[in-house]
Amino acid sequence: MLPITSKAVSADARDRLRIADDYLERVIAGEEYLVFDGAMGTMLQAAGLEAGELPELLCLTSPDEVTAIHRRYVEAGSQAVTTNTFGANARKLGDAASVHEVFAAAVSCVRAAGARYVAADIGPTGALLAPLGTMSFDEAYNLFAEQVHAAVDAGADIILIETMADLLEMKAAVLAAKECSDLPVFATMTFGEDGRTFLGTSPRIAALMLSSLGVQALGMNCSLGPDDLRPLVDEMLEVATCPVMVQANAGLPHVEDGRTVFSVDADAYAESVAGMIEAGVRIVGGCCGTNPAYIANLADIVRDKRPHVPFARPLCSVTSAQEAVVLEGRHVATIGERINPTGKKRLKEALRTGDSDYIINEAIAQTEAGADILDVNAGLPEIDEAAVLVDLVGKIQGVTGLPLQIDSSDPAAVEAAVRVYAGKPIINSVNGKAESLETVLPVAKHYGCAVVGLTLDEGGIPPTAEERFAIAERIVRAAEAKGIPRQDVLIDCLVMAASTNQSEVVEILRAITIVKERLGVRTVLGVSNVSFGLPLREVVNATFLSAAFSAGLDMPILNPLSERYCEVVDSWRVLCGQDVGAMRYIEGYANKTAAASTTKVAAHAGSNEGGASAAEEEGLRHFVITGRRAAAGAEVERMLDAGEDPMAVIDGHLIPALDEVGARFEAGTFFLPQLMASAEAAKAGFDVIRGRSTGDAVADKGSVAVATVKGDIHDIGKNIVRMLLENYGYTVYDLGRDVEPQAVVDCVKEHDIKLVGLSALMTTTVRGMEETIALLREQAPDTKVFVGGAVLTPEYAQMVGADYYAKDAAEGARICAEVLG
């Protein structure tokens, strides 16, 4: 495995590209169309590929057959042809061949076919990244880096990263491509019928992050047919600042006369893609089910034409993997300040002792209070700040979908955290000092981050608005010189305490206005500093916040648990038009009175420590829903100590909480990270009950066997199902991947298992699923079977003889409840 390298290269070296010719350069600039090829797997299957065979190895064993397929696409009009290396990483290849051997042979096949451009194909690792899975970011990066080095050595023209469903895995692959090569990077993700990846990323979020990360083209492939992809493509086109690429499936697969066929023919496919091209898509091709006939039609559509739709204008945006905050017009967003040890003894102690549960509670409490973004600061001199920040970023992103602001004065800690962040974060901060500009801005550019610029320099914080503006202008100019668009620069004019610098308060407000009017950037402000040393601090803070909004403040950093703050923010959103029709304000305040509100404010006034306690009062159900593992375990301990029956705790609290989580997942308001965090919290409760119970005091929920079928080495979906079922309290026998049918039957017989879950990713391995089910029917007829996987549909499930079809892990849990009781 390769070591991680190139993280310290200069900004110029990071962004220099080697582009094959002038035409490809014009494609990247959005001035020409580019036609890719269609499906490789479909063509190989038609040529007699046997189920279970690694198609990438055919580049070594049958290069003439692979080259012949590439040549057919070239003859149909493909300008860029994809190498047969989708799964050619060290994890999947094992001892069968080296990555360099496969890529060298694959590139040679494409060159021999006469393709104008060779696109080195890199697919997912096949493993789930932490914290949901066991593969670390660095492990994924190293797998991708090895592939990129192999592609470069073999002479590829483009790095194509495709069919990604995990935004963090996509980031690891893009960084490997940027840091280990100077080739253009094209990056496409795959989305489900709900318009998101299985981890909850929307096309809009993917496009925002990938545009900022600096890929040369972005888009989507696989999953759905062209008509179903069209609204998702439109989402990308609205925000993408580089060419958008689409390679749709030929509809969904179904079975006719025992054969797998797709529902959209070449003419219908071309008609649908033509609409996307007219809307602004510049790079087209095909995925599963397409063949040279499809590509020939696409080539005809774009022949002798030039794109006429401009790229989207850059937006001020920050994202997680599930949520995006985009500021337009006078819209505002709040940044929760509570994960910052300054003035917070309990938080300092939590950081020193590694008590991440306390910090997670703060993140959840601020999320529930309505914050839009969370500031994360671990700045204590006695801890390893970089390591702590990296750990907190992963854990906080596991329980909340809010974007994060990475807050540190240490550039190394900032880089370590933003590198493993899923999405586009804010860096807090850079300032006007030359050293800060030279160390922080390259990090923001390389990782595609927004960055807060503090109006201070070697001379300190100036007292006047004009002097603050001069520093802000210097920061903006320096950022643009590094390639950071103005929309990603947020200026903090720095609040001073009214008790000590009273004359500067008005200057701060003037500075906000000047910065907004003259530089056209967004502004940030740590509001609560203004009241330091004064009584009734929240009254002063709220008054100053109102004035700052009027001056042009966009993103206040504040305590979202303060009701006084919330009132100002909510009412301002009505006045500036962000809360259309005042609907949210009316919903939140229709039954409140000023007196009741003031009482609440008084209870919070002057508090720097409290805040999470209000949510904690909601008990076990709330802890499970919000994914608080430690709190859930402690609450079950308390309930058992108080004499509650263990089964009453399970049936009256844990199971209803999991049911609600499942309902939110089904409704699209929870995504896989939140689902898994809730399941972990429930498991903590189950574990306490098991540890305190004897004999049959706690009913056995039953046993399930899961396996990826013979010939298939993809196990992400199976692993997610296993983890979820274990956390729901089931005993799960995980047989792994590429499992022989008899091994499944043997496990069922040995452990008297009544339910089996089978997974397959590829249409070529569905036959292995059918064989396994047939053997189970013969030797264990009482056992029920549910199936799932990317290529599976209810029709496929029926065809292979399954009892149930599970479209996702949550459905698998529901099937277990139905079958096992």
Side-chain angles (χ1 to χ4, degrees):
M1 203 64 76
L2 298 175
I4 294 180
T5 59
S6 307
K7 287 197 287 183
V9 298
S10 69
D12 290 340
R14 283 170 166 173
D15 300 317
R16 185 173 59 244
L17 286 179
R18 175 164 54 87
I19 301 175
D21 58 24
D22 290 342
Y23 186 87
L24 185 57
E25 188 166 3
R26 294 197 300 275
V27 169
I28 292 170
E31 299 167 0
E32 299 281 2
Y33 291 112
L34 184 65
V35 179
F36 261 73
D37 52 357
M40 172 58 72
T42 299
M43 299 293 287
L44 290 173
Q45 190 173 358
L49 171 68
E50 293 185 6
E53 185 175 357
L54 283 171
E56 295 81 9
L57 296 181
L58 293 174
C59 299
L60 297 170
T61 60
S62 304
D64 292 342
E65 293 179 25
V66 174
T67 299
I69 293 172
H70 292 323
R71 186 175 293 114
R72 289 186 60 189
Y73 279 121
V74 172
E75 292 168 350
S78 296
Q79 298 158 296
V81 172
T82 307
T83 58
N84 181 32
T85 54
F86 176 80
N89 64 59
R91 179 179 183 270
K92 290 184 179 179
L93 291 175
D95 296 329
S98 75
V99 171
H100 273 72
E101 287 173 337
V102 174
F103 270 85
V107 170
S108 294
C109 289
V110 177
R111 288 288 182 212
R116 183 168 187 173
Y117 306 116
V118 178
D121 193 22
I122 296 177
T125 62
L128 195 62
L129 268 63
L132 290 179
T134 57
M135 179 174 285
S136 71
F137 181 90
D138 288 349
E139 288 173 324
Y141 175 94
N142 285 339
L143 288 173
F144 293 130
E146 186 175 15
Q147 292 174 284
V148 172
H149 280 297
V152 172
D153 293 344
D157 302 307
I158 297 166
I159 301 295
L160 173 63
I161 304 165
E162 60 145 313
T163 323
M164 290 288 181
D166 181 347
L167 197 64
L168 186 59
E169 186 176 19
M170 171 63 88
K171 185 173 185 176
V174 170
L175 289 176
K178 289 176 61 175
E179 294 172 355
C180 301
S181 83
D182 54 4
L183 298 178
V185 180
F186 292 9
T188 62
M189 299 193 71
T190 183
F191 301 91
E193 292 180 340
D194 62 352
R196 290 182 179 259
T197 71
F198 78 90
L199 286 175
T201 298
S202 69
R204 178 180 175 89
I205 289 170
L208 287 169
M209 189 199 82
L210 290 170
S211 291
S212 296
L213 203 51
V215 300
Q216 280 62 58
L218 61 87
M220 60 186 68
N221 74 292
C222 205
S223 300
L224 304 171
D227 288 341
D228 291 326
L229 281 188
R230 177 58 193 272
L232 310 186
V233 171
D234 289 342
E235 272 192 56
M236 282 193 159
L237 289 169
E238 289 175 359
V239 298
T241 57
C242 62
V244 169
M245 174 178 181
V246 178
Q247 291 182 289
N249 285 352
L252 291 173
H254 61 281
V255 180
E256 288 183 5
D257 300 326
R259 295 185 308 112
T260 298
V261 297
F262 288 79
S263 58
V264 179
D265 65 24
D267 290 339
Y269 186 91
E271 182 179 352
S272 297
V273 175
M276 299 184 199
I277 292 170
E278 185 65 24
V281 170
R282 287 165 165 81
I283 304 173
V284 293
C287 203
C288 301
T290 63
N291 58 43
Y294 290 72
I295 302 307
N297 285 351
L298 299 183
D300 288 341
I301 292 171
V302 301
R303 186 172 288 114
D304 300 326
K305 292 183 180 179
R306 299 290 182 274
H308 62 89
V309 179
F311 294 149
R313 60 183 177 83
L315 297 171
C316 177
S317 64
V318 54
T319 83
S320 66
Q322 294 91 26
E323 295 186 29
V325 173
V326 178
L327 292 183
E328 298 183 87
R330 293 301 303 272
H331 291 187
V332 299
T334 59
I335 302 174
E337 70 180 7
R338 298 188 57 81
I339 306 177
N340 186 321
T342 304
K344 300 182 179 71
K345 294 180 181 179
R346 287 182 65 192
L347 185 57
K348 286 181 180 179
E349 183 62 23
L351 289 170
R352 290 191 190 103
T353 60
D355 182 8
S356 58
D357 290 316
Y358 176 82
I359 298 167
I360 287 171
N361 286 346
E362 287 287 3
I364 293 170
Q366 292 181 98
T367 301
E368 293 179 329
D372 300 298
I373 300 163
L374 299 182
D375 184 84
V376 182
N377 183 308
L380 291 180
E382 63 269 33
I383 66 174
D384 183 343
E385 184 180 0
V388 172
L389 264 181
V390 167
D391 181 62
L392 288 180
V393 163
K395 289 178 177 176
I396 291 171
Q397 287 205 289
V399 297
T400 177
L402 295 188
L404 303 184
Q405 174 172 275
I406 309 302
D407 186 355
S408 174
S409 59
D410 180 358
V414 167
E415 179 165 13
V418 300
R419 185 174 180 84
V420 300
Y421 176 86
K424 176 185 176 182
I426 302 173
I427 291 175
N428 187 10
S429 59
V430 69
N431 59 57
K433 296 178 182 179
E435 180 184 5
S436 178
L437 294 171
E438 287 303 314
T439 55
V440 177
L441 292 180
V443 173
K445 168 60 179 173
H446 184 58
Y447 294 102
C449 308
V451 60
V452 173
L454 307 181
T455 54
L456 65 86
D457 59 12
E458 289 82 357
I461 303 174
T464 68
E466 286 74 17
E467 289 172 302
R468 281 180 163 91
F469 169 79
I471 297 174
E473 185 176 34
R474 190 190 318 152
I475 293 170
V476 172
R477 302 290 181 227
E480 289 184 319
K482 297 292 186 185
I484 301 171
R486 192 169 292 220
Q487 291 78 7
D488 283 342
V489 181
L490 317 167
I491 295 298
D492 186 338
C493 291
L494 294 174
V495 174
M496 305 298 288
S499 59
T500 57
N501 299 72
Q502 190 171 15
S503 63
E504 293 186 32
V505 174
V506 174
E507 291 297 300
I508 294 164
L509 297 174
R510 270 207 323 123
I512 294 172
T513 301
I514 295 171
V515 164
K516 290 274 290 189
E517 291 177 350
R518 298 182 189 176
L519 296 179
V521 297
R522 299 288 174 172
T523 56
V524 178
L525 211 59
V527 176
S528 60
N529 293 339
V530 74
S531 65
F532 183 79
L534 296 174
L536 287 177
R537 290 187 61 184
E538 288 205 359
V539 175
V540 178
N541 292 342
T543 303
F544 179 70
L545 178 58
S546 297
F549 278 146
S550 297
L553 175 63
D554 300 291
M555 304 173 79
I557 303 173
L558 47 75
N559 177 8
L561 275 66
S562 162
E563 188 156 350
R564 181 79 74 176
Y565 274 145
C566 292
E567 290 169 348
V568 174
V569 172
D570 292 341
S571 57
W572 176 256
R573 283 174 166 156
V574 173
L575 301 180
C576 75
Q578 184 173 357
D579 182 1
V580 178
M583 297 300 293
R584 288 186 59 187
Y585 185 85
I586 293 170
E587 181 181 354
Y589 293 90
N591 297 316
K592 291 188 178 181
T593 64
S597 177
T598 302
T599 302
K600 271 194 153 183
V601 171
H604 283 291
S607 171
N608 286 320
E609 292 291 320
S613 60
E616 290 172 359
E617 293 174 359
E618 298 191 33
L620 181 56
R621 171 186 166 279
H622 189 261
F623 295 148
V624 171
I625 291 172
T626 55
R628 297 190 226 191
R629 180 180 175 87
E635 179 64 10
V636 171
E637 291 271 13
R638 186 199 65 77
M639 295 170 77
L640 296 180
D641 288 341
E644 291 205 36
D645 178 70
M647 287 308 300
V649 174
I650 293 174
D651 294 337
H653 300 273
L654 292 174
I655 297 301
L658 288 173
D659 288 343
E660 181 167 345
V661 169
R664 294 188 187 189
F665 181 80
E666 182 70 24
T669 57
F670 263 30
F671 304 107
L672 187 61
Q674 291 78 41
L675 178 71
M676 296 304 295
S678 295
E680 287 282 348
K683 183 176 183 295
F686 285 127
D687 288 345
V688 169
I689 292 172
R690 290 192 185 97
R692 297 271 296 263
S693 302
T694 58
D696 297 327
V698 179
D700 181 7
K701 294 193 71 174
S703 299
V704 185
V706 296
T708 301
V709 299
K710 179 183 177 181
D712 204 316
I713 60 172
H714 303 86
D715 59 358
I716 290 179
K718 182 264 297 176
N719 290 343
I720 291 171
V721 171
R722 183 203 71 222
M723 289 187 292
L724 187 65
L725 296 183
E726 286 176 342
N727 291 341
Y728 270 50
Y730 296 99
T731 299
V732 181
Y733 294 91
D734 185 352
L735 303 182
R737 54 186 180 169
D738 191 15
V739 180
E740 292 284 346
Q742 189 62 52
V744 177
V745 173
D746 291 345
C747 179
V748 166
K749 291 169 130 183
E750 179 181 355
H751 300 287
D752 192 26
I753 292 171
K754 300 303 180 185
L755 182 63
V756 171
L758 300 176
S759 172
L761 178 71
M762 303 180 295
T763 55
T764 54
T765 56
V766 172
R767 188 172 302 150
M769 184 175 280
E770 187 174 16
E771 292 173 0
T772 303
I773 294 173
L775 198 61
L776 282 168
R777 296 289 184 249
E778 178 184 328
Q779 299 187 28
D782 294 336
T783 299
K784 301 293 184 182
V785 180
F786 70 97
V787 297
V791 299
L792 269 293
T793 64
E795 183 181 14
Y796 256 129
Q798 184 177 14
M799 181 198 77
V800 298
D803 299 290
Y804 301 93
Y805 164 66
K807 64 178 181 177
D808 52 40
E811 181 66 22
R814 285 190 287 271
I815 291 168
C816 286
E818 177 182 335
V819 174
L820 301 178

